[in-house]
């Protein structure tokens, strides 16, 4: 399939019996997610392809406690594109994206980030390598190096 979508909803979870952590988290907010992805093939003579995607997450039913002042809801939006370049016996994914995390309460201000990265996914192998960066609106830079293993 060249087009995929997903919808997921989780109700808030009330935690009980954990007096040690009750001041931090007595309730886990619910989450509603919607995501879409579209694959675009380059052409008949090329194995390269591009994937465009987006996701919307809404956290709801949150509540403050003695330590954390949390908003009742929070919205997170992300969009991105990944070009998969065919190189010898592997794909080299090149990706770019944007993510905005809305305000979540006192001390949890909104933040946006431009993300970009590249990877290495060899043919007939269960592993891949990803190297990603993020530059956020608060002036910081994030980096990750991931070794990914796919179970069959």
């Amino acid at each position: 399939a060249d087009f995929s979508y997903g919808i997921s909803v989780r109700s808030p979870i009330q935690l009980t019996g954990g007096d040690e952590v009750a001041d931090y988290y007595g309730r886990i907010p619910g989450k509603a997610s919607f995501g879409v992805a579209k694959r675009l093939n380059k052409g008949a003579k090329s194995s390269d392809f591009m994937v465009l995607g987006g996701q919307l997450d809404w956290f709801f039913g949150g509540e403050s406690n003695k330590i954390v002042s949390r908003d009742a809801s929070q919205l997170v939006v992300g969009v991105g594109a990944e070009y998969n370049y065919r190189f010898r016996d592997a794909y080299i994914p090149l990706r770019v994206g944007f993510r905005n995390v809305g305000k979540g309460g006192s001390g949890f201000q909104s933040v946006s980030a431009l993300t970009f990265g590249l990877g290495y996914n060899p043919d007939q192998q269960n592993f891949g390598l990803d190297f990603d960066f993020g530059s956020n609106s608060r002036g910081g830079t994030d980096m990750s190096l991931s070794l990914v293993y796919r179970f069959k």
Side-chain angles (χ1 to χ4, degrees):
D2 289 339
F3 179 80
S4 297
Y5 70 92
I7 299 172
S8 173
V9 178
R10 179 193 72 218
S11 65
I13 302 167
Q14 189 69 38
L15 301 177
T16 59
D19 295 337
E20 300 82 16
V21 296
D23 288 341
Y24 297 98
Y25 242 135
R27 181 180 174 99
I28 298 173
K31 180 180 178 184
S33 294
F34 175 72
V36 295
K38 171 75 175 159
R39 177 181 168 140
L40 305 170
N41 294 317
K42 186 172 179 184
K45 294 183 179 182
S46 175
S47 297
D48 295 2
F49 65 94
M50 179 177 277
V51 178
L52 305 174
Q55 184 163 333
L56 177 68
D57 296 319
W58 175 48
F59 295 89
F60 60 92
E63 60 185 30
S64 297
N65 57 41
K66 296 177 185 176
I67 297 173
V68 177
S69 175
R70 180 181 178 88
D71 289 350
S73 67
Q74 182 180 29
L75 192 62
V76 179
V77 178
V79 294
E82 178 180 273
Y83 185 81
N84 286 267
Y85 173 69
R86 183 73 177 161
F87 181 73
R88 297 186 184 170
D89 293 331
Y91 278 104
I92 308 295
L94 306 166
R95 57 183 78 88
V96 63
F98 176 79
R99 187 162 179 90
N100 181 270
V101 178
K103 180 180 179 291
S106 179
F108 301 96
Q109 300 304 314
S110 64
V111 63
S112 298
L114 177 64
T115 60
F116 46 96
L118 63 102
Y120 176 71
N121 298 318
D123 289 347
Q124 308 301 318
Q125 301 295 324
N126 294 341
F127 70 91
L129 185 65
D130 287 310
F131 196 46
D132 297 297
F133 297 91
S135 178
N136 72 61
S137 59
R138 295 185 188 163
T141 300
D142 300 320
M143 181 183 71
S144 73
L145 176 62
S146 305
L147 177 61
V148 180
Y149 184 80
R150 291 181 275 292
F151 293 97
K152 289 188 175 186

